[in-house]
Amino acid sequence: MQSVFLIPPETVEFRPENYFVPLDLDVVFPGRSNAPLEVDLGSGDGGFLVEMANRYPNRNFLGVERLLGRVRKTCRRMARTEARNGRVIRVESHYLVRHLLPRGSVSVLHVMCPDPWPKRHHQFKRLIQTEFLDDAREALAPGGELRLTTDDLPYFKHMCAVFKAHCGFAEEPWTPEPDYPQTDFERLFRSQGLPIYRALLRRI
Ligand SMILES: C[S@@+](CC[C@H](N)C(=O)[O-])C[C@H]1O[C@@H](n2cnc3c(N)ncnc32)[C@H](O)[C@@H]1O
């Protein structure tokens, strides 16, 4: 099937001129940098990002993904829709949170089905660690949220232990509405009958 792009797909990707200073949100989202910012870390093929951007035109959405093919797929998916409030950046998630997100700029940080790194000698690669929570707290606006999902129970238990030991967030119950957008991986896991574990942390 031939693709119909409403804008050139490459314009969806944001490439900073300088990776050593925080992003200028007026450059990332020209003319609309005052809108609340939601960031999807490890945005994959972008299904969630594109659906959220279309559903909430008064918010800005930034996808963060390290794989080029997935960034390009996200750009194509976004460019087929009317959304002009969604962009994707190719960079490592924790680097972005620590060095590129302006302090206090983010209303919601989404971490949806991150790589679980199940082998013990790989677990240091997991995104959710104390240092990540420290940096996420700095990037979030007061009262901002960190929303996490995973299908992997050992990783979820690890996340919960890290949250419990961190005093910068309060955990809140989170039962999303039935039509809350699913990510591509979540849809796949659900189709296999796997449960999805979720947590919502609010910056205090
Ligand atoms: C399991 S997939 C989940 C994708 C998407 N969130 C979803 O639920 O459909 C994890 C994604 O995170 C990306 N990723 C993993 N570690 C990353 C990192 N440190 N920085 C940026 N992207 C990362 C992977 O390339 C992959 O696309």
Side-chain angles (χ1 to χ4, degrees):
M1 194 180 78
Q2 208 181 354
S3 286
V4 178
F5 296 122
L6 306 183
I7 53 170
E10 60 276 13
T11 61
V12 175
E13 183 178 353
F14 181 72
R15 294 186 187 180
E17 282 189 3
N18 184 343
Y19 283 83
F20 299 100
V21 295
L23 300 177
D24 180 347
L25 296 177
D26 282 327
V27 177
V28 187
F29 297 101
R32 46 173 303 128
S33 61
N34 288 336
L37 174 63
E38 301 199 16
V39 178
D40 183 9
L41 299 174
S43 48
D45 288 339
F48 177 78
L49 188 79
V50 173
E51 204 175 333
M52 290 293 274
N54 278 276
R55 189 179 288 206
Y56 300 104
N58 296 329
R59 306 181 195 170
N60 290 331
F61 292 89
L62 180 63
V64 183
E65 174 54 53
R66 65 181 175 191
L67 295 184
L68 178 62
R70 291 184 174 176
V71 168
R72 289 194 173 147
K73 185 161 183 187
T74 301
C75 290
R76 291 195 298 273
R77 288 172 100 172
M78 192 74 78
R80 286 188 199 107
T81 76
E82 304 279 343
R84 298 294 169 265
N85 55 334
R87 302 206 70 178
V88 61
I89 181 171
R90 187 176 176 216
V91 71
E92 197 278 322
S93 291
H94 192 169
Y95 183 88
L96 174 113
V97 171
R98 177 177 288 189
H99 298 293
L100 298 184
L101 291 177
R103 280 182 164 215
S105 63
V106 181
S107 61
V108 185
L109 269 180
H110 302 270
V111 180
M112 319 287 276
C113 304
D115 291 340
W117 297 108
K119 290 185 181 154
R120 186 173 288 276
H121 62 284
H122 284 155
Q123 288 180 0
F124 71 95
K125 296 184 180 186
R126 287 173 168 172
L127 182 63
I128 305 304
Q129 311 282 0
T130 303
E131 297 72 28
F132 172 79
L133 289 191
D134 292 341
D135 293 324
R137 192 173 185 285
E138 291 298 314
L140 283 167
E145 296 176 10
L146 176 58
R147 297 184 196 169
L148 299 119
T149 63
T150 180
D151 69 305
D152 189 85
L153 186 56
Y155 192 14
F156 188 64
K157 287 182 175 169
H158 162 90
M159 290 179 183
C160 292
V162 177
F163 305 155
K164 216 172 161 191
H166 200 285
C167 55
F169 292 90
E171 195 169 350
E172 292 184 6
W174 176 27
T175 312
E177 320 79 81
D179 67 341
Y180 188 78
Q182 293 182 14
T183 70
D184 299 303
F185 271 73
E186 181 179 346
R187 203 165 281 125
L188 177 73
F189 294 142
R190 284 182 184 282
S191 73
Q192 295 169 354
L194 295 171
I196 299 291
Y197 306 96
R198 30 184 103 242
L200 187 155
L201 304 189
R202 190 173 299 283
R203 183 194 148 159
I204 50 174

mmCIF file of all heavy atoms in Angstrom, residues 94 97-98 101-106 109 130-146 166-170 201-204:
data_model
loop_
_atom_site.group_PDB
_atom_site.id
_atom_site.type_symbol
_atom_site.label_atom_id
_atom_site.label_comp_id
_atom_site.label_asym_id
_atom_site.label_seq_id
_atom_site.Cartn_x
_atom_site.Cartn_y
_atom_site.Cartn_z
ATOM 1 N N HIS A 94 18.458 7.770 29.302
ATOM 2 C CA HIS A 94 18.926 8.386 30.549
ATOM 3 C C HIS A 94 19.768 9.630 30.235
ATOM 4 O O HIS A 94 19.705 10.625 30.959
ATOM 5 C CB HIS A 94 19.713 7.372 31.379
ATOM 6 C CG HIS A 94 19.963 7.844 32.784
ATOM 7 N ND1 HIS A 94 20.451 7.057 33.778
ATOM 8 C CD2 HIS A 94 19.806 9.069 33.358
ATOM 9 C CE1 HIS A 94 20.569 7.760 34.898
ATOM 10 N NE2 HIS A 94 20.195 8.979 34.666
ATOM 11 N N VAL A 97 17.326 12.426 29.730
ATOM 12 C CA VAL A 97 16.714 12.894 30.978
ATOM 13 C C VAL A 97 17.726 13.706 31.783
ATOM 14 O O VAL A 97 17.404 14.763 32.329
ATOM 15 C CB VAL A 97 16.182 11.686 31.794
ATOM 16 C CG1 VAL A 97 15.742 12.107 33.185
ATOM 17 C CG2 VAL A 97 15.027 11.028 31.044
ATOM 18 N N ARG A 98 18.971 13.232 31.825
ATOM 19 C CA ARG A 98 19.974 13.902 32.670
ATOM 20 C C ARG A 98 20.488 15.199 32.045
ATOM 21 O O ARG A 98 20.663 16.193 32.738
ATOM 22 C CB ARG A 98 21.151 12.968 32.917
ATOM 23 C CG ARG A 98 22.249 13.659 33.735
ATOM 24 C CD ARG A 98 23.395 12.753 34.064
ATOM 25 N NE ARG A 98 23.014 11.768 35.068
ATOM 26 C CZ ARG A 98 23.879 10.950 35.668
ATOM 27 N NH1 ARG A 98 25.146 11.006 35.368
ATOM 28 N NH2 ARG A 98 23.464 10.083 36.559
ATOM 29 N N LEU A 101 16.880 17.361 28.883
ATOM 30 C CA LEU A 101 15.570 17.912 29.250
ATOM 31 C C LEU A 101 15.768 19.092 30.193
ATOM 32 O O LEU A 101 16.433 18.949 31.232
ATOM 33 C CB LEU A 101 14.707 16.846 29.941
ATOM 34 C CG LEU A 101 14.232 15.705 29.044
ATOM 35 C CD1 LEU A 101 13.460 14.681 29.879
ATOM 36 C CD2 LEU A 101 13.358 16.226 27.898
ATOM 37 N N PRO A 102 15.201 20.255 29.867
ATOM 38 C CA PRO A 102 15.318 21.380 30.798
ATOM 39 C C PRO A 102 14.687 21.007 32.145
ATOM 40 O O PRO A 102 13.683 20.284 32.204
ATOM 41 C CB PRO A 102 14.514 22.498 30.109
ATOM 42 C CG PRO A 102 14.451 22.104 28.669
ATOM 43 C CD PRO A 102 14.470 20.602 28.639
ATOM 44 N N ARG A 103 15.302 21.508 33.224
ATOM 45 C CA ARG A 103 14.794 21.214 34.569
ATOM 46 C C ARG A 103 13.339 21.629 34.722
ATOM 47 O O ARG A 103 12.969 22.725 34.284
ATOM 48 C CB ARG A 103 15.591 21.992 35.599
ATOM 49 C CG ARG A 103 16.886 21.368 35.918
ATOM 50 C CD ARG A 103 17.587 22.177 36.964
ATOM 51 N NE ARG A 103 18.641 21.341 37.515
ATOM 52 C CZ ARG A 103 19.029 21.362 38.789
ATOM 53 N NH1 ARG A 103 18.477 22.185 39.639
ATOM 54 N NH2 ARG A 103 19.978 20.565 39.196
ATOM 55 N N GLY A 104 12.547 20.790 35.314
ATOM 56 C CA GLY A 104 11.160 21.122 35.619
ATOM 57 C C GLY A 104 10.273 21.285 34.393
ATOM 58 O O GLY A 104 9.218 21.904 34.466
ATOM 59 N N SER A 105 10.671 20.703 33.256
ATOM 60 C CA SER A 105 9.947 20.978 32.007
ATOM 61 C C SER A 105 8.896 19.918 31.643
ATOM 62 O O SER A 105 8.089 20.135 30.750
ATOM 63 C CB SER A 105 10.944 21.069 30.841
ATOM 64 O OG SER A 105 11.601 19.822 30.655
ATOM 65 N N VAL A 106 8.923 18.781 32.332
ATOM 66 C CA VAL A 106 8.128 17.632 31.853
ATOM 67 C C VAL A 106 6.916 17.392 32.749
ATOM 68 O O VAL A 106 7.049 17.344 33.975
ATOM 69 C CB VAL A 106 9.014 16.360 31.819
ATOM 70 C CG1 VAL A 106 8.232 15.167 31.304
ATOM 71 C CG2 VAL A 106 10.251 16.593 30.968
ATOM 72 N N LEU A 109 6.512 11.627 32.320
ATOM 73 C CA LEU A 109 7.553 10.778 31.719
ATOM 74 C C LEU A 109 6.960 9.373 31.619
ATOM 75 O O LEU A 109 6.578 8.794 32.641
ATOM 76 C CB LEU A 109 8.767 10.701 32.634
ATOM 77 C CG LEU A 109 9.916 11.685 32.497
ATOM 78 C CD1 LEU A 109 10.978 11.363 33.549
ATOM 79 C CD2 LEU A 109 10.523 11.668 31.113
ATOM 80 N N THR A 130 18.277 4.046 40.896
ATOM 81 C CA THR A 130 18.187 5.242 41.745
ATOM 82 C C THR A 130 18.644 6.499 41.006
ATOM 83 O O THR A 130 17.992 7.545 41.076
ATOM 84 C CB THR A 130 19.052 5.039 43.010
ATOM 85 O OG1 THR A 130 18.583 3.859 43.643
ATOM 86 C CG2 THR A 130 18.936 6.211 43.959
ATOM 87 N N GLU A 131 19.755 6.411 40.266
ATOM 88 C CA GLU A 131 20.285 7.598 39.575
ATOM 89 C C GLU A 131 19.283 8.098 38.531
ATOM 90 O O GLU A 131 19.144 9.305 38.318
ATOM 91 C CB GLU A 131 21.612 7.289 38.852
ATOM 92 C CG GLU A 131 22.748 6.876 39.768
ATOM 93 C CD GLU A 131 22.564 5.469 40.348
ATOM 94 O OE1 GLU A 131 21.916 4.618 39.710
ATOM 95 O OE2 GLU A 131 23.050 5.232 41.473
ATOM 96 N N PHE A 132 18.593 7.153 37.885
ATOM 97 C CA PHE A 132 17.590 7.571 36.905
ATOM 98 C C PHE A 132 16.466 8.327 37.607
ATOM 99 O O PHE A 132 16.013 9.376 37.126
ATOM 100 C CB PHE A 132 17.030 6.357 36.139
ATOM 101 C CG PHE A 132 15.864 6.732 35.268
ATOM 102 C CD1 PHE A 132 16.065 7.346 34.037
ATOM 103 C CD2 PHE A 132 14.560 6.514 35.691
ATOM 104 C CE1 PHE A 132 14.998 7.742 33.252
ATOM 105 C CE2 PHE A 132 13.480 6.909 34.909
ATOM 106 C CZ PHE A 132 13.705 7.516 33.688
ATOM 107 N N LEU A 133 16.008 7.814 38.761
ATOM 108 C CA LEU A 133 14.927 8.514 39.480
ATOM 109 C C LEU A 133 15.374 9.901 39.924
ATOM 110 O O LEU A 133 14.602 10.864 39.868
ATOM 111 C CB LEU A 133 14.468 7.705 40.690
ATOM 112 C CG LEU A 133 13.669 6.426 40.418
ATOM 113 C CD1 LEU A 133 13.075 5.911 41.734
ATOM 114 C CD2 LEU A 133 12.562 6.622 39.409
ATOM 115 N N ASP A 134 16.639 10.028 40.355
ATOM 116 C CA ASP A 134 17.160 11.349 40.742
ATOM 117 C C ASP A 134 17.044 12.315 39.552
ATOM 118 O O ASP A 134 16.569 13.453 39.704
ATOM 119 C CB ASP A 134 18.651 11.266 41.121
ATOM 120 C CG ASP A 134 18.902 10.484 42.395
ATOM 121 O OD1 ASP A 134 17.955 10.302 43.188
ATOM 122 O OD2 ASP A 134 20.057 10.055 42.590
ATOM 123 N N ASP A 135 17.458 11.856 38.381
ATOM 124 C CA ASP A 135 17.461 12.741 37.211
ATOM 125 C C ASP A 135 16.036 12.980 36.684
ATOM 126 O O ASP A 135 15.719 14.079 36.221
ATOM 127 C CB ASP A 135 18.354 12.139 36.105
ATOM 128 C CG ASP A 135 19.816 12.132 36.536
ATOM 129 O OD1 ASP A 135 20.241 13.081 37.233
ATOM 130 O OD2 ASP A 135 20.532 11.168 36.201
ATOM 131 N N ALA A 136 15.191 11.956 36.785
ATOM 132 C CA ALA A 136 13.796 12.112 36.350
ATOM 133 C C ALA A 136 13.100 13.163 37.205
ATOM 134 O O ALA A 136 12.321 13.989 36.720
ATOM 135 C CB ALA A 136 13.060 10.776 36.448
ATOM 136 N N ARG A 137 13.417 13.147 38.490
ATOM 137 C CA ARG A 137 12.799 14.120 39.410
ATOM 138 C C ARG A 137 13.184 15.541 39.020
ATOM 139 O O ARG A 137 12.362 16.453 39.075
ATOM 140 C CB ARG A 137 13.226 13.802 40.844
ATOM 141 C CG ARG A 137 12.430 14.554 41.864
ATOM 142 C CD ARG A 137 12.723 14.120 43.276
ATOM 143 N NE ARG A 137 11.819 14.823 44.171
ATOM 144 C CZ ARG A 137 11.947 16.093 44.506
ATOM 145 N NH1 ARG A 137 12.955 16.783 44.039
ATOM 146 N NH2 ARG A 137 11.062 16.667 45.303
ATOM 147 N N GLU A 138 14.419 15.733 38.620
ATOM 148 C CA GLU A 138 14.870 17.069 38.199
ATOM 149 C C GLU A 138 14.159 17.517 36.925
ATOM 150 O O GLU A 138 13.842 18.691 36.755
ATOM 151 C CB GLU A 138 16.386 17.060 37.922
ATOM 152 C CG GLU A 138 17.242 16.891 39.147
ATOM 153 C CD GLU A 138 17.047 18.032 40.141
ATOM 154 O OE1 GLU A 138 17.052 19.200 39.724
ATOM 155 O OE2 GLU A 138 16.867 17.747 41.338
ATOM 156 N N ALA A 139 13.939 16.590 36.016
ATOM 157 C CA ALA A 139 13.316 16.938 34.724
ATOM 158 C C ALA A 139 11.823 17.208 34.865
ATOM 159 O O ALA A 139 11.241 17.976 34.089
ATOM 160 C CB ALA A 139 13.547 15.805 33.714
ATOM 161 N N LEU A 140 11.196 16.575 35.868
ATOM 162 C CA LEU A 140 9.739 16.721 36.013
ATOM 163 C C LEU A 140 9.379 18.068 36.638
ATOM 164 O O LEU A 140 10.095 18.581 37.508
ATOM 165 C CB LEU A 140 9.180 15.608 36.896
ATOM 166 C CG LEU A 140 9.042 14.242 36.221
ATOM 167 C CD1 LEU A 140 8.777 13.159 37.270
ATOM 168 C CD2 LEU A 140 7.916 14.255 35.175
ATOM 169 N N ALA A 141 8.250 18.602 36.210
ATOM 170 C CA ALA A 141 7.683 19.786 36.857
ATOM 171 C C ALA A 141 7.155 19.364 38.234
ATOM 172 O O ALA A 141 6.869 18.173 38.447
ATOM 173 C CB ALA A 141 6.542 20.323 35.994
ATOM 174 N N PRO A 142 6.977 20.310 39.167
ATOM 175 C CA PRO A 142 6.373 19.942 40.452
ATOM 176 C C PRO A 142 5.029 19.249 40.209
ATOM 177 O O PRO A 142 4.218 19.716 39.405
ATOM 178 C CB PRO A 142 6.186 21.296 41.145
ATOM 179 C CG PRO A 142 7.226 22.175 40.529
ATOM 180 C CD PRO A 142 7.359 21.728 39.103
ATOM 181 N N GLY A 143 4.826 18.124 40.881
ATOM 182 C CA GLY A 143 3.584 17.369 40.689
ATOM 183 C C GLY A 143 3.581 16.505 39.435
ATOM 184 O O GLY A 143 2.598 15.822 39.147
ATOM 185 N N GLY A 144 4.691 16.533 38.683
ATOM 186 C CA GLY A 144 4.770 15.733 37.452
ATOM 187 C C GLY A 144 4.772 14.239 37.739
ATOM 188 O O GLY A 144 5.034 13.810 38.868
ATOM 189 N N GLU A 145 4.481 13.461 36.698
ATOM 190 C CA GLU A 145 4.299 12.012 36.882
ATOM 191 C C GLU A 145 5.314 11.200 36.102
ATOM 192 O O GLU A 145 5.674 11.557 34.984
ATOM 193 C CB GLU A 145 2.914 11.586 36.353
ATOM 194 C CG GLU A 145 1.765 12.185 37.082
ATOM 195 C CD GLU A 145 0.430 11.804 36.434
ATOM 196 O OE1 GLU A 145 0.404 10.931 35.531
ATOM 197 O OE2 GLU A 145 -0.574 12.399 36.840
ATOM 198 N N LEU A 146 5.694 10.081 36.711
ATOM 199 C CA LEU A 146 6.467 9.051 36.014
ATOM 200 C C LEU A 146 5.551 7.836 35.921
ATOM 201 O O LEU A 146 5.113 7.313 36.953
ATOM 202 C CB LEU A 146 7.721 8.746 36.846
ATOM 203 C CG LEU A 146 8.648 7.632 36.390
ATOM 204 C CD1 LEU A 146 9.160 7.870 34.976
ATOM 205 C CD2 LEU A 146 9.841 7.535 37.355
ATOM 206 N N HIS A 166 13.460 5.447 47.447
ATOM 207 C CA HIS A 166 13.666 6.820 46.960
ATOM 208 C C HIS A 166 12.634 7.732 47.602
ATOM 209 O O HIS A 166 11.448 7.415 47.616
ATOM 210 C CB HIS A 166 13.512 6.844 45.431
ATOM 211 C CG HIS A 166 14.140 8.033 44.798
ATOM 212 N ND1 HIS A 166 13.585 9.289 44.844
ATOM 213 C CD2 HIS A 166 15.304 8.169 44.117
ATOM 214 C CE1 HIS A 166 14.375 10.139 44.208
ATOM 215 N NE2 HIS A 166 15.432 9.478 43.754
ATOM 216 N N CYS A 167 13.086 8.869 48.119
ATOM 217 C CA CYS A 167 12.121 9.701 48.852
ATOM 218 C C CYS A 167 11.576 10.858 48.004
ATOM 219 O O CYS A 167 10.826 11.686 48.509
ATOM 220 C CB CYS A 167 12.747 10.231 50.131
ATOM 221 S SG CYS A 167 14.268 11.103 49.800
ATOM 222 N N GLY A 168 11.903 10.910 46.709
ATOM 223 C CA GLY A 168 11.482 12.051 45.893
ATOM 224 C C GLY A 168 10.134 11.882 45.206
ATOM 225 O O GLY A 168 9.670 12.785 44.499
ATOM 226 N N PHE A 169 9.512 10.721 45.392
ATOM 227 C CA PHE A 169 8.247 10.437 44.699
ATOM 228 C C PHE A 169 7.249 9.799 45.654
ATOM 229 O O PHE A 169 7.649 9.124 46.600
ATOM 230 C CB PHE A 169 8.472 9.445 43.547
ATOM 231 C CG PHE A 169 9.281 9.978 42.406
ATOM 232 C CD1 PHE A 169 10.662 9.847 42.399
ATOM 233 C CD2 PHE A 169 8.669 10.615 41.334
ATOM 234 C CE1 PHE A 169 11.422 10.330 41.352
ATOM 235 C CE2 PHE A 169 9.415 11.100 40.277
ATOM 236 C CZ PHE A 169 10.803 10.963 40.280
ATOM 237 N N ALA A 170 5.965 9.990 45.353
ATOM 238 C CA ALA A 170 4.922 9.261 46.073
ATOM 239 C C ALA A 170 4.228 8.359 45.064
ATOM 240 O O ALA A 170 3.859 8.821 43.979
ATOM 241 C CB ALA A 170 3.924 10.239 46.670
ATOM 242 N N LEU A 201 4.280 7.205 39.708
ATOM 243 C CA LEU A 201 4.981 7.940 40.762
ATOM 244 C C LEU A 201 4.789 9.423 40.525
ATOM 245 O O LEU A 201 4.971 9.881 39.391
ATOM 246 C CB LEU A 201 6.481 7.652 40.724
ATOM 247 C CG LEU A 201 6.958 6.204 40.819
ATOM 248 C CD1 LEU A 201 8.475 6.196 40.981
ATOM 249 C CD2 LEU A 201 6.311 5.492 41.975
ATOM 250 N N ARG A 202 4.430 10.132 41.585
ATOM 251 C CA ARG A 202 4.280 11.580 41.443
ATOM 252 C C ARG A 202 5.425 12.284 42.157
ATOM 253 O O ARG A 202 5.791 11.919 43.283
ATOM 254 C CB ARG A 202 2.941 12.038 42.034
ATOM 255 C CG ARG A 202 2.619 13.496 41.695
ATOM 256 C CD ARG A 202 1.212 13.856 42.153
ATOM 257 N NE ARG A 202 0.189 13.063 41.515
ATOM 258 C CZ ARG A 202 -0.267 13.219 40.255
ATOM 259 N NH1 ARG A 202 0.261 14.158 39.491
ATOM 260 N NH2 ARG A 202 -1.220 12.461 39.776
ATOM 261 N N ARG A 203 5.998 13.266 41.480
ATOM 262 C CA ARG A 203 7.102 14.028 42.086
ATOM 263 C C ARG A 203 6.610 14.792 43.297
ATOM 264 O O ARG A 203 5.591 15.497 43.221
ATOM 265 C CB ARG A 203 7.665 15.008 41.055
ATOM 266 C CG ARG A 203 8.848 15.765 41.587
ATOM 267 C CD ARG A 203 9.223 16.945 40.750
ATOM 268 N NE ARG A 203 9.751 17.945 41.679
ATOM 269 C CZ ARG A 203 10.526 18.942 41.360
ATOM 270 N NH1 ARG A 203 10.865 19.133 40.113
ATOM 271 N NH2 ARG A 203 10.951 19.780 42.260
ATOM 272 N N ILE A 204 7.310 14.645 44.420
ATOM 273 C CA ILE A 204 6.937 15.413 45.614
ATOM 274 C C ILE A 204 8.073 16.361 45.963
ATOM 275 O O ILE A 204 9.196 16.191 45.487
ATOM 276 C CB ILE A 204 6.606 14.520 46.819
ATOM 277 C CG1 ILE A 204 7.712 13.481 47.068
ATOM 278 C CG2 ILE A 204 5.272 13.859 46.610
ATOM 279 C CD1 ILE A 204 7.513 12.665 48.322
#
